[in-house]
């Protein structure tokens, strides 16, 4: 059983903010922001007894770890899920884990694509039945953004590590022209960035490496231009509609209608329906909805 717990409570001084003077176009002195380390991926193995294996599928309810993504995504999910029953929150984070940001056990790209499209339609069901107005709109915008991130997945051929392209993370309350200094360092001085990360992993805060790098920035304004260009390219990539959802026409008017229409669409699109229908049953089970 693999899971990815968040360790968002560890705060580190891991990024800086640079401001550009609009009149002189000069780089002003860097300001440090305290930023939360979004997460570490931890994989644990749990031995399940023979008796446990015989439990009925409906008796097993999983609780996924919260997906952080970026400060903005985390803030949006917290906002739209505020006041919702625990079952709805569980269903959303389980859906992200099982359909969007899936682990390394899902290696078949076609299977991953089907799960992702199903997840977008499951998100629509939640928006239609548990949210309304601006909250429903923001929820779908956020889930579509996570779907865009999911499409950027790459796997390191040597280590097997999975990585995703994410939007530039901006701390809550940071100005629009915020520059994440650690990302600039990563682009232009990989060795110093490695030392910076190693210091953090070793229990430090990386402050000395960050300050040392920040002192060089005013003399190298093209570093900021390079950072901004890459940021714009990332935003353009993630905002470009890339997902053609086979399940867009699924009937979300009721639980039974949604289940039946998804089953019929799966019959048309995939010969291996069983695992996908298990995914659908798990979705409703997490919502606490009984579907015949």
């Amino acid at each position: 059983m693999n899971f990815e717990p968040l360790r968002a409570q560890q705060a580190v001084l891991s990024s800086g903010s640079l401001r550009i003077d609009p009149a002189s176009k000069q780089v002003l002195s860097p300001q440090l922001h305290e930023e939360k380390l979004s997460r570490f991926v931890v994989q644990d193995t749990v031995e399940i007894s023979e008796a446990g294996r015989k439990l009925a599928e409906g008796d097993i309810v999983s609780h996924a770890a919260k997906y952080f993504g970026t400060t903005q995504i985390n803030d949006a999910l917290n906002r739209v899920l505020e006041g919702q029953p625990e079952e709805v929150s569980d269903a959303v984070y389980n859906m992200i884990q099982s359909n969007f940001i899936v682990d390394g056990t899902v290696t078949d790209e076609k299977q991953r694509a089907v799960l992702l499209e199903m997840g977008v339609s499951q998100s629509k069901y939640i928006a239609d039945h548990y949210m309304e107005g601006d909250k429903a709109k923001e929820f779908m915008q956020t889930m579509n953004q996570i779907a865009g991130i999911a499409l950027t997945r790459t796997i390191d051929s040597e280590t097997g590590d999975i990585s995703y392209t994410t939007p530039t993370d901006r701390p809550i309350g940071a100005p629009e022209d915020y520059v994440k200094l650690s990302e600039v360092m990563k682009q232009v001085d990989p060795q110093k960035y490695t030392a910076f990360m190693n210091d953090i992993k070793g229990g430090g805060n990386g402050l000395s490496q960050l300050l040392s790098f920040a002192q060089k920035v005013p003399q190298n304004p093209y570093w900021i231009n390079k950072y901004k260009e890459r940021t714009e390219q990332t935003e353009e990539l993630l905002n470009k509609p890339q997902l053609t959802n086979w399940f867009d026409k699924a009937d979300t008017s009721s639980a039974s209608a949604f289940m039946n229409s998804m089953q019929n669409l799966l019959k048309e699109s995939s010969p291996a329906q069983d695992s996908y229908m298990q995914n659908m049953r798990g979705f409703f089970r997490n919502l606490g909805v009984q579907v015949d």
Side-chain angles (χ1 to χ4, degrees), residues 48-265:
I48 301 175
S49 68
E50 188 61 30
R53 295 178 191 279
K54 293 180 180 179
L55 279 173
E57 181 184 295
D59 291 337
I60 301 173
V61 178
S62 58
H63 297 279
K66 286 187 67 176
Y67 171 73
F68 189 88
T70 66
T71 302
Q72 287 69 42
I73 289 174
N74 181 61
D75 187 51
L77 288 175
N78 286 338
R79 187 163 48 248
V80 298
L81 293 173
E82 184 179 5
Q84 291 286 351
E86 183 181 359
E87 291 81 3
V88 174
S89 181
D90 279 347
V92 169
Y93 287 111
N94 269 289
M95 182 173 58
I96 293 173
Q97 180 175 282
S98 61
N99 292 68
F100 289 76
I101 310 298
V102 297
D103 63 24
T105 61
V106 182
T107 56
D108 183 88
E109 288 302 309
K110 183 177 180 182
Q111 180 186 9
R112 197 168 69 86
V114 172
L115 287 170
L116 180 57
E117 291 171 28
M118 288 176 65
V120 173
S121 292
Q122 289 170 358
S123 300
K124 184 176 184 301
Y125 177 89
I126 288 178
D128 289 348
H129 288 269
Y130 297 92
M131 300 174 188
E132 54 186 34
D134 290 341
K135 277 200 171 183
K137 182 179 179 181
E138 184 177 16
F139 175 67
M140 286 307 301
Q141 287 174 339
T142 304
M143 297 309 292
N144 282 321
Q145 185 178 36
I146 297 172
I149 292 172
L151 289 171
T152 69
R153 184 171 95 153
T154 58
I155 303 177
D156 189 296
S157 58
E158 294 184 0
T159 65
D161 290 341
I162 298 173
S163 61
Y164 297 88
T165 299
T166 58
T168 302
D169 201 354
R170 185 159 46 93
I172 299 298
E176 289 294 328
D177 60 353
Y178 169 81
V179 171
K180 188 173 182 179
L181 189 57
S182 60
E183 283 299 311
V184 180
M185 185 197 302
K186 184 178 181 180
Q187 288 181 34
V188 303
D189 195 341
Q191 288 186 334
K192 185 173 287 292
Y193 179 78
T194 298
F196 165 74
M197 291 304 297
N198 286 340
D199 187 26
I200 292 173
K201 291 175 183 177
N205 57 26
L207 186 58
S208 62
Q209 291 85 358
L210 201 62
L211 288 173
S212 173
F213 180 77
Q215 291 171 355
K216 301 177 183 177
V217 174
Q219 289 76 44
N220 298 278
Y222 63 91
W223 289 353
I224 305 303
N225 294 334
K226 182 178 179 182
Y227 167 85
K228 287 186 173 182
E229 286 175 8
R230 183 161 182 174
T231 299
E232 289 171 1
Q233 291 170 357
T234 300
E235 295 292 339
E236 184 179 350
L237 171 66
L238 294 175
N239 290 330
K240 186 184 297 182
Q242 301 179 61
L243 187 67
T244 302
N245 188 1
W246 173 258
F247 305 102
D248 261 346
K249 47 193 172 183
D251 182 355
T252 59
S253 61
S254 69
S256 57
F258 185 42
M259 182 67 115
N260 290 335
S261 62
M262 288 292 283
Q263 186 169 21
N264 290 333
L265 288 167

